[in-house]
Structures are given as structure tokens and as C-alpha cells.
Amino acid sequence: MRRLVIFASLLLAATVFGQQLVEKIDVNLVNVDVTVTSKGSPVSGLTRDDFEIFEDGRRQTITNFYASETTPAVVASSPAPAAVARAAVPQQDPRFRRRVLVLVDNNHTTRHSRDRALSELEAMINDRFHGDYDWSIGVIGRGVTLLLPLSSDKRAIHEALEIIRRAGTRAEGTSTFAGAADRGGLTLSPTDTRLTTMAVFDADYSERLEQAGNSDDEERAIAAKFTVPAILDAARGFAGSSGRKIVFLLTGDPGLNDINLVTQGGADGFGVRGVSSGSPNRFSNHLWNAQKTIADLRESIIEEANASDVSFYIWNVEGLTAPGGDMGATSSAPALTNNSAMFWLANQTGGRLLAGNNPAQSVQEFDSASSSFYSLGYKPAHPDDGKYHAISVRVKRKGDYALAYRSGYSDSSTATQLARAMKSPTAAAMDASTLPVTLILGKPPQTDGGEVAVPIEVKVPFRALQFLPGKSGVGASVVVYVSVFDDIGKNLVATSIPLTPGFKSGTPDPNGTLVYRNVIKLSKGARDRVVVAVRDTATDSIGMATQVVKY
């Protein structure tokens, strides 16, 4: 059991220091990034007056508008002079800078298809990427593992992708679902211990075929329920950050499509699985439970992504598979690829499904579509009500347009968004720190049986905080967040502690430091990640720090 032991201390120092006051402006602005295409190509040249935006069916006034155009190509084989290269980089508003997390799903890809996709991704980085946005690299195995925090360093990006190539996939037995129960996995229903071989001549062939189908459904639900938390962690890690936030998911079939209830057989050539002679049989509950699990998982991804303002660009690296030969129950021919769930997830979050069998075309489509968008901002009439609100956008100009944008959002405060982000192991790497925060782990830890009591210190310089005058002198208002994650990304501790450091006389020393101390109890021998964040409530400035510990 990991826990935070509350006997914290707060250290301050005070001398004379004149500080300029900073005014915090609360505008409660909702930004909606909209990608507009016509016949598959991005549409440029639209203005604020070309758009209409609605929240819960009510028209909103667009108060902020920003247009981002497609990134120009930079050919690596013909390097330009330094001055020319610098001039080629567009000066993008940092509030709309793209921040991309490339998330490789090792659970649902083959090594061949995954590596072919990574090669094309590296080629695009060499030829088209010139530092105008940030990349982060993560992989889904037993959980989500972040190999590279946000960076525009090409060398670091290539090194992270090479680490993934050296690892296997679940198809090779190198990644398992061990630990699924710890993250809320399902439990398979009891099955008969009969031989697995079947023939149409068996008297109970239909029953055994249906049993096998239901077992497959439950296993698919388990696989999806194990993978989805890693996807949610990736999206949630963006919750406290700004910019054009994108999860670029490289996967195969993550098992999120609806279960096929209609099969061949029956008097008219078709049958409905889970139903026998017009009434449910003993497999029905398992069938519908698995279906509901998968539907709920899809909804959870949409809600989390939209609440964090994250768009999912999903690339089915396995490609489309055409049906072939006899598609009966005994055929080994592959079934037609079903991309419906992935298309829906991408569309509802303002992203795109890249389902082509041409990897070079897929990465080019990603770069073009994600770099060309319009950001629409409006101020709702219900500040921070904590509710989910539906969004719809229309283009008033005549034309054949397709729009992609997030279908809704949760109206939450900065504090709520940060608290959500702190439940993700990727938060420290995905959120840009505007406060200089230092995390120090004390040594040696005190051992108590199977637990290790680890002292922690969180430090923030006074000059980075906003001290305001009050009735009893000057003071600041900060919140310290502490989270702990195990080696598969499961959140073990997530707590927040409000602090009000102040001085009755004088003002803070510019060289002084706020020091917050506490103790975390960890399991001995476990490899855990400690993440801390500090938020200045006067300015909403946030800083983060993280360390991996094992005692």
C-alpha cells in the first residue's frame, strides 16, 4: 500500500523585496480546433465569418479566431543555408503549437507492420519536420511507457523510435496482459474442458461454436479493457497543458468494434448469437456483458479526450484486409478489416483515421491534416459548471466540406484539469512548466516492515510566486499535488495540499525558497514514479517535477 503520510512542514524566509503585482484575468474561453477538408484535402482561406458554432444547440459568438496553414516541406537532401532555413520556419502562435504524442500499441500490432510504419514516420521527420512543433514518444505494453517527453530534437526522436523497434510485440509473446485485473480487467466466465477441435458432424457443433465465439468476445473485451487505460492515461496527461494536443495512435485492431451478433446458419441462412429458439440461452449474458464493456470503453475514450481537448489521429498500421475465399466458420481466410470504431473515435475528437495501406501516404496525410486547422474561441455563459456540453460547428460558405472537431467538452477549472492530469503517469512530460519546481527525495529512507518511508522536498523560488498584500501582511496561495505510479502506470497516490505562505512584515527575499516537506510510504523493492506539481492560484502558473524510485 502506497500512501502519503501527512506530517508536512513548510519553510519560509523573509527580507525586504519589492514585487510587481500580476493581475489574473479569468476569461473562461472555450477553444475548438476545427479541421476542414474538401475531397480529402485541407481547406484554407476561411475566416471567422465563415463559421457557426453551437453549444448544446445554442449559437455562440466567436470571439477568438486563429488559422493554421499546412506545414511546408523541408528536403533533407538539399540543406538550405542557416539563414534561409530559419526563415522557412513559420512563426506560429505558441498557444496553438502542435504537441504530438506518438503512441505505439504493441498489444495489437505485428512487428513487421509496426516497424514499417515507424520507418515512414522517421522519413517524414527527416524530410518535413523542422522544429515547428513538439513530439513525444510512448508505447503501450503492460501500461503506457513514455520514452521521450515533448521535444523538437530530431536525434532524440529517432533514438526513442529505435528503442521501440528493438522491443517485440504481444504477437511474439513479449507483451502480456499480466496485471489486467489490477487495472480493472474482466474475469472470464467458466468454460467447459472439452476438446477444442470441432466438426460439423458433431451433435453439439452449434453449441460449441457459439461457446467458442463467446469466449473470443470476452477475451477481446479483456484485451480492450487492458489497453484502454493506457490510452486514457495518454489523453489525461495533456489535461493541464495548452496547444494543439494530439495523440497519434499506431495500432491494429484494439478490439473496440461492436461484437458481431449475426452469424451464418439457421433456417434462413443466418442466426443471432446468444439467442436460441427465440429466448436467451446460457451464453447471452456473457455476450451482452462483453458488448456493453466495449461500448463503455469507447465512450470513456471520447469523454476523456474531449475533456482534455485532445484529438486522436489513429493509424491502422496493419492496413485494410480484403475478404478472400470461403468466409465460413471453418475458413482460415482473414475477414474484412473493421475500422468503424477507430473512425468514430477519431471523428468525435477532431482527429482523423489513417487506414490506408500506403504508409508514406498515411504519414503525409497526418502531417497535412494536423497542421491545417482553425481554432474557434467563445465564452460560454456558465463558467466552470463542471458539466459536459455538446459542440457542433458549421461552415456557412457553400461547398462540399467535411469538418472534424471535438464533439463536446467538460467545463472545468484549471485546478480540476490539473487534478485529472496528475492521475496520469505522462503528465510531468506532457505539461509545460512555467514554475521552476524541484523535487528532492530524502536519503536514507526509513524501513518499516515491507514499507519504505521516503522523505520528499518540493522547492519553488519566491521570485516565481505571486505574493499579494492582505490584512496580515503579504501572502501567496499555492497548491502542491503529489502522485505516485507503479511500473505499469497505475495511479497509487493522488493528493493535493493547499498552502498559504505569508509574511506579517516585510516582503519575500528574491533569493528565498518555499520548501514543502512530506513523507511517502512505498512498498519495498517496487519501482515507482513520484510526480509533484505546484500551482500558483493567483496566476494559474504550474510547475512539475518527477523521479523514479526503487528501494
Side-chain angles (χ1 to χ4, degrees):
M1 174 66 71
R2 286 78 162 175
R3 62 183 183 274
L4 190 69
V5 182
I6 306 296
F7 45 88
S9 62
L10 180 66
L11 303 182
L12 297 172
T15 60
V16 178
F17 174 51
Q19 184 178 19
Q20 181 180 0
L21 299 183
V22 178
E23 181 182 4
K24 176 185 173 184
I25 302 175
D26 185 9
V27 294
N28 191 42
L29 192 70
V30 176
N31 284 310
V32 183
D33 295 330
V34 184
T35 300
V36 184
T37 57
S38 179
K39 298 180 181 179
S41 300
V43 175
S44 60
L46 298 179
T47 68
R48 181 199 314 246
D49 295 334
D50 290 319
F51 289 94
E52 288 181 313
I53 189 166
F54 299 84
E55 182 184 286
D56 298 331
R58 297 183 178 88
R59 188 193 307 272
Q60 304 294 315
T61 300
I62 300 175
T63 58
N64 295 62
F65 180 82
Y66 177 83
S68 175
E69 303 298 334
T70 302
T71 303
V74 174
V75 181
S77 59
S78 302
V84 177
R86 285 194 297 270
V89 178
Q91 299 301 312
Q92 188 182 43
D93 189 320
R95 295 174 300 171
F96 305 98
R97 182 177 175 87
R98 275 186 294 172
R99 305 168 63 125
V100 179
L101 168 58
V102 178
L103 192 59
V104 181
D105 181 4
N106 268 352
N107 288 337
H108 300 98
T109 53
T110 60
R111 181 189 284 266
H112 170 75
S113 298
R114 181 202 64 187
D115 290 353
R116 184 178 64 162
L118 293 180
S119 295
E120 290 298 337
L121 189 61
E122 285 195 299
M124 186 272 282
I125 292 171
N126 284 331
D127 297 340
R128 297 184 61 86
F129 175 61
H130 44 75
D132 62 324
Y133 59 103
D134 298 317
W135 292 80
S136 181
I137 310 295
V139 61
I140 298 176
R142 296 181 61 226
V144 57
T145 301
L146 204 63
L147 302 177
L148 177 70
L150 286 169
S151 172
S152 56
D153 184 340
K154 285 187 178 182
R155 178 180 175 181
I157 297 170
H158 289 310
E159 289 176 350
L161 295 178
E162 180 59 28
I163 291 174
I164 295 178
R165 265 195 293 264
R166 291 200 297 265
T169 65
R170 181 174 178 265
E172 301 169 282
T174 59
S175 178
T176 71
F177 291 135
D182 291 338
R183 303 212 64 182
L186 296 176
T187 301
L188 280 174
S189 60
T191 57
D192 295 338
T193 57
R194 291 178 288 181
L195 295 177
T196 56
T197 55
M198 294 184 291
V200 294
F201 304 105
D202 296 339
D204 58 352
Y205 170 76
S206 297
E207 181 184 6
R208 295 177 66 187
L209 180 64
E210 188 161 318
Q211 177 188 357
N214 280 279
S215 296
D216 289 344
D217 295 336
E218 289 180 315
E219 184 175 355
R220 182 155 68 97
I222 291 175
K225 197 162 186 177
F226 182 65
T227 300
V228 166
I231 297 175
L232 295 178
D233 283 341
R236 191 179 293 119
F238 273 122
S241 62
S242 60
R244 173 78 161 117
K245 299 176 287 188
I246 295 170
V247 171
F248 189 16
L249 176 62
L250 279 60
T251 186
D253 180 2
L256 294 172
N257 291 304
D258 286 331
I259 291 174
N260 183 14
L261 304 180
V262 179
T263 59
Q264 293 184 357
D268 57 358
F270 296 95
V272 179
R273 292 175 49 205
V275 177
S276 177
S277 302
S279 60
N281 64 18
R282 64 191 181 96
F283 299 120
S284 294
N285 289 337
H286 304 310
L287 176 73
W288 293 110
N289 286 340
Q291 171 62 50
K292 184 178 186 304
T293 295
I294 291 172
D296 289 345
L297 290 172
R298 288 199 307 260
E299 290 288 347
S300 68
I301 295 176
I302 297 295
E303 292 180 3
E304 189 63 57
N306 286 342
S308 302
D309 194 13
V310 174
S311 296
F312 271 89
Y313 282 73
I314 304 178
W315 182 7
N316 183 352
V317 300
E318 299 299 325
L320 294 171
T321 303
D326 177 18
M327 296 305 294
T330 59
S331 173
S332 60
L336 181 66
T337 304
N338 185 349
N339 279 323
S340 57
M342 289 187 285
F343 172 83
W344 184 73
L345 292 175
N347 180 266
Q348 292 293 298
T349 60
R352 193 162 185 167
L353 172 64
L354 308 169
N357 285 33
N358 185 334
Q361 180 180 343
S362 294
V363 293
Q364 182 177 355
E365 185 179 349
F366 162 75
D367 189 44
S368 176
S370 64
S371 64
S372 181
F373 63 93
Y374 300 91
S375 184
L376 314 179
Y378 69 92
K379 186 176 181 180
H382 47 76
D384 298 343
D385 64 0
K387 298 180 180 179
Y388 190 84
H389 300 277
I391 294 174
S392 61
V393 180
R394 291 204 296 254
V395 173
K396 294 186 287 185
R397 183 186 296 188
K398 291 184 179 180
D400 182 16
Y401 301 121
L403 278 63
Y405 53 88
R406 57 171 170 162
S407 57
Y409 76 101
S410 293
D411 192 12
S412 303
S413 64
T414 302
T416 301
Q417 292 283 50
L418 180 56
R420 290 177 53 252
M422 288 297 290
K423 293 184 178 180
S424 166
T426 67
M430 308 311 296
D431 290 320
S433 290
T434 55
L435 285 181
V437 175
T438 303
L439 169 63
I440 300 175
L441 300 179
K443 294 181 180 180
Q446 299 299 316
T447 303
D448 181 15
E451 291 186 330
V452 179
V454 182
I456 66 170
E457 283 188 355
V458 181
K459 296 184 177 182
V460 185
F462 285 161
R463 64 166 58 92
L465 300 176
Q466 183 65 68
F467 285 84
L468 300 174
K471 295 180 180 180
S472 303
V474 295
S477 176
V478 300
V479 181
V480 177
Y481 299 81
V482 181
S483 294
V484 180
F485 303 89
D486 66 11
D487 62 347
I488 64 170
K490 182 180 179 182
N491 185 220
L492 308 173
V493 171
T495 188
S496 59
I497 303 97
L499 304 176
T500 54
F503 302 87
K504 293 183 178 180
S505 62
T507 50
D509 180 354
N511 297 315
T513 303
L514 181 151
V515 181
Y516 170 78
R517 290 174 174 167
N518 213 318
V519 173
I520 300 176
K521 284 195 173 181
L522 306 176
S523 295
K524 191 174 182 179
R527 184 180 184 275
D528 297 322
R529 176 176 293 277
V530 180
V531 180
V532 298
V534 176
R535 181 173 71 91
D536 186 334
T537 64
T539 61
D540 265 345
S541 299
I542 298 170
M544 289 191 175
T546 181
Q547 285 193 42
V548 174
V549 297
K550 183 177 180 180
Y551 295 104

